[in-house]
């Protein structure tokens, strides 16, 4: 049997994520094609290649008409390469990475052009949160939203003027937090003080990321408790805000990349899953947890750990997870195997602040992992189609010592601590878990990181 090629992330780019503009008249310079072109050009420069070397483009977005990927790709050059457009809600970026990986493996297998694939994630969001674009036809996530009522939840708008879809998503994740409390017997996850501490950690990490939308950290976690309450225990300050922005990565096979710059990041394994029958089962005691992708995250990550014979608590140094809400980050600690069932609070509360590798930043170390050094969705903002690609870009910069003030100090070349995990979830549902490893020689040293 032919061995699959090793897949590398050889370059990354990202615009600063910004608040959605109030109207088209305010969006000059912030159109999706301009933003995506900026991110793509940076990724190509970072990889040291020209666009003419690219054999395919995979574009990820949700809020746009068909063929937006072509609109962006044609700004880079008219080379005739195939362009694929991917929409998988909030996990679109990871889905684009998965498709790009499949293209590289297929080309290697059939002896086609072995050149790299350019992955683009972008979104030009509107103010006001999530919304349906085609209300005159069946709602793709309507079955999920209807489960709120079936589970006894409230479907009233969380605040005046909020769209039904945004409100339903908030109700789902609030319900999951309360469900966790009831199943585990621990009230910790519905403690607003704990959620404020998690959000504060993310905001402080994000203040060290010049590409993050929320670049200023509050003075304390208590400041976050002043935000309006949406659906207990979720406050506005515990939510990832929607954003406009773009990210890009270049992916290539090891054989094509040989004799080029090292180190880079290797994509070692990936698992994508959708909903299981228990998501919609009336006999399932964890109904909200399945709606919010926790079952999917548990299954996907455990499959990877089994295949790679990897102990996540001992060997993962970096985790970029989908923290659409502070409560979801806590629950994902358990779903991704970082903490025992019912022990998310202990996992987080046992953490401590450490210096970044460069000594000019602070990172929160829980166990042996730094979770969301980028600031996560909570601080970067959440342009749906770009978020998964931005997570991959962060891991690439971390593995190469280019994360500046947020550089994780443990990412050297030893097997015990150079692993990184990415988790990305889209309602509807699609959950993607991806395992990366630092590839290439050279130990990261204090002061090596660039000031990104």
């Amino acid at each position: 049997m032919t061995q699959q090629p090793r897949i590398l992330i050889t370059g990354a780019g990202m615009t600063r994520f910004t608040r959605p503009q109030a109207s088209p008249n305010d969006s000059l310079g912030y159109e999706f094609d301009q933003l995506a072109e900026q991110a793509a050009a940076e990724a190509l420069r970072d990889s040291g290649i020209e666009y003419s070397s690219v054999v395919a483009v995979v574009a990820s977005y949700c809020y746009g008409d068909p063929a937006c990927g072509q609109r962006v790709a044609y700004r880079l050059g008219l080379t005739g390469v195939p362009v694929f457009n991917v929409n998988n809600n909030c996990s679109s970026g990871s889905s684009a990475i998965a498709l790009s990986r499949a293209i590289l493996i297929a080309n290697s297998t059939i002896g086609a052009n072995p050149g790299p694939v350019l992955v683009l994630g972008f979104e030009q969001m509107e103010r006001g949160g999530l919304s349906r674009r085609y209300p005159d036809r069946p709602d793709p996530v309507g079955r999920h939203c209807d489960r709120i009522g079936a589970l006894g939840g409230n479907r009233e708008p969380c605040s005046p003027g909020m769209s039904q879809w945004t409100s339903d998503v908030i109700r789902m994740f609030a319900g999951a937090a309360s469900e966790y409390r009831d199943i585990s017997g621990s009230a910790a996850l519905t403690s607003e003080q704990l959620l404020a501490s998690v959000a504060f950690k993310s905001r402080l990490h994000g203040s060290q990321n010049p590409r993050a939308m929320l670049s200023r950290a509050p003075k304390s976690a208590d400041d976050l408790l002043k935000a309006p309450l949406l659906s207990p225990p979720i406050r506005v300050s515990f939510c990832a805000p929607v954003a406009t922005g773009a990210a890009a990565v270049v992916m290539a096979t090891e054989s094509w990349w040989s004799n080029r710059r090292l180190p880079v990041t290797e994509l070692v394994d990936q698992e994508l899953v959708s909903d299981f029958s228990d998501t919609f089962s009336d006999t399932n005691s964890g109904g909200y947890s399945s709606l919010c992708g926790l079952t999917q995250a548990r299954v996907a990550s455990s499959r990877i750990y089994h295949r790679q014979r990897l102990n996540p608590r001992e060997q993962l140094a970096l985790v970029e997870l989908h923290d659409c809400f502070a409560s979801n980050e806590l629950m994902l600690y358990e779903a991704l195997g970082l903490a025992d069932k019912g022990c998310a609070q202990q996992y987080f509360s046992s953490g401590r602040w450490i210096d970044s590798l460069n000594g000019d930043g602070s990172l929160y170390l829980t166990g042996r992992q730094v979770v969301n050094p980028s600031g996560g969705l909570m601080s970067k903002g959440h342009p749906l189609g770009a978020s998964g690609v931005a997570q991959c870009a962060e891991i690439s910069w971390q593995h190469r010592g280019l994360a500046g003030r947020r550089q994780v100090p443990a990412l050297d070349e030893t097997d015990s601590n150079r692993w990184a995990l990415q988790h990305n979830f889209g309602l509807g549902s699609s959950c993607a878990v991806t395992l990366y490893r630092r590839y290439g020689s050279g130990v990261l040293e204090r002061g090596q990181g660039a000031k990104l």
Side-chain angles (χ1 to χ4, degrees):
M1 188 165 92
T2 304
Q3 186 176 6
Q4 286 190 357
R6 298 175 76 171
I7 305 299
L8 307 179
I9 311 298
T10 65
M14 177 179 162
T15 67
R16 180 174 181 176
F17 289 176
T18 61
R19 296 185 184 278
Q21 303 303 303
S23 70
N25 292 331
D26 295 331
S27 63
L28 184 62
Y30 291 94
E31 282 83 2
F32 74 87
D33 56 338
Q34 295 173 322
L35 293 169
E37 181 187 20
Q38 293 172 31
E42 182 184 357
L44 292 168
R45 286 195 304 271
D46 190 36
S47 191
I49 64 171
E50 300 292 333
Y51 179 67
S52 57
S53 299
V54 171
V55 300
V57 175
V58 182
S60 155
Y61 62 94
C62 298
Y63 286 81
D65 289 324
C68 284
Q70 280 86 339
R71 171 82 182 196
V72 177
Y74 294 172
R75 294 179 69 99
L76 300 168
L78 293 168
T79 60
V81 298
V83 180
F84 302 88
N85 295 279
V86 175
N87 178 347
N88 238 353
N89 267 344
C90 301
S91 67
S92 296
S94 287
S95 300
I97 290 169
L99 177 55
S100 301
R101 178 174 178 244
I103 292 170
L104 290 168
I105 292 172
N107 283 354
S108 177
T109 302
I110 66 176
N113 190 328
V117 175
L118 176 64
V119 187
L120 303 173
F122 52 84
E123 212 71 77
Q124 186 176 344
M125 298 289 290
E126 300 171 325
R127 286 186 182 270
L130 307 176
S131 61
R132 290 187 60 197
R133 309 309 299 166
Y134 301 101
D136 62 332
R137 60 205 68 186
D139 182 358
V141 297
R143 190 176 181 185
H144 297 74
C145 295
D146 289 343
R147 284 292 292 164
I148 300 173
L151 292 167
N154 180 4
R155 292 196 67 184
E156 292 297 318
C158 292
S159 65
M162 179 177 286
S163 73
Q164 185 65 53
W165 191 20
T166 298
S167 185
D168 281 344
V169 171
I170 293 171
R171 297 286 190 192
M172 278 185 207
F173 284 89
S178 298
E179 183 178 85
Y180 172 95
R181 174 198 62 203
D182 297 338
I183 293 175
S184 68
S186 169
L189 203 65
T190 52
S191 162
E192 290 191 27
Q193 188 64 56
L194 176 61
L195 297 182
S197 296
V198 173
F200 177 75
K201 178 270 296 181
S202 299
R203 292 288 297 277
L204 186 55
H205 282 178
S207 70
Q208 299 166 155
N209 184 355
R211 303 172 194 253
M213 187 179 92
L214 303 180
S215 57
R216 292 185 180 181
K219 292 181 179 179
S220 70
D222 289 342
D223 288 345
L224 298 174
L225 295 170
K226 301 173 184 176
L229 184 66
L230 295 173
S231 181
I234 294 177
R235 293 185 176 273
V236 171
S237 53
F238 304 162
C239 307
V242 295
T244 287
V249 296
V250 176
M251 297 176 60
T253 60
E254 178 188 39
S255 59
W256 188 86
W257 189 251
S258 61
N259 299 321
R260 295 172 185 260
R261 185 202 64 237
L262 293 174
V264 291
T265 292
E266 179 183 1
L267 195 165
V268 178
D269 205 347
Q270 189 174 46
E271 186 78 23
L272 279 73
V273 298
S274 59
D275 288 303
F276 298 100
S277 59
D278 68 347
T279 302
F280 307 106
S281 172
D282 291 330
T283 62
N284 176 22
S285 61
Y288 279 111
S289 298
S290 296
L291 281 178
C292 296
L294 298 173
T295 301
Q296 296 90 317
R298 185 175 297 108
V299 170
S301 59
S302 62
R303 287 176 179 174
I304 288 177
Y305 300 151
H306 177 74
R307 285 197 295 263
Q308 300 300 324
R309 300 179 181 178
L310 185 139
N311 182 331
R313 301 182 198 183
E314 296 296 323
Q315 293 178 271
L316 291 177
L318 165 63
V319 178
E320 280 283 321
L321 57 77
H322 195 92
D323 59 329
C324 46
F325 300 92
S327 54
N328 199 50
E329 175 169 336
L330 282 162
M331 291 185 288
L332 282 168
Y333 293 159
E334 298 178 21
L336 297 175
L338 305 178
D340 290 331
K341 186 176 181 179
C343 296
Q345 179 193 17
Q346 293 93 316
Y347 174 77
F348 177 78
S349 299
S350 65
R352 59 190 175 90
W353 288 100
I354 62 171
D355 290 338
S356 65
L357 179 66
N358 299 308
D360 58 355
S362 297
L363 297 166
Y364 194 71
L365 181 68
T366 42
R368 295 193 176 188
Q369 295 82 42
V370 175
V371 177
N372 289 352
S374 67
L377 279 59
M378 292 280 295
S379 288
K380 289 203 308 289
H382 185 23
L384 275 61
S387 288
V389 183
Q391 289 175 321
C392 179
E394 176 70 17
I395 290 171
S396 172
W397 289 323
Q398 289 282 353
H399 274 149
R400 290 158 50 206
L402 298 176
R405 295 178 60 203
R406 63 189 188 281
Q407 180 66 53
V408 175
L411 291 169
D412 61 28
E413 61 180 338
T414 61
D415 280 335
S416 63
N417 56 16
R418 63 176 175 175
W419 297 88
L421 192 76
Q422 176 190 1
H423 163 267
N424 198 198
F425 175 71
L427 186 63
S429 293
S430 171
C431 176
V433 177
T434 312
L435 181 67
Y436 301 90
R437 175 174 55 196
R438 187 165 177 267
Y439 174 91
S441 61
V443 177
L444 303 182
E445 297 178 354
R446 181 179 291 271
Q448 182 175 335
K451 305 301 181 183
L452 287 181

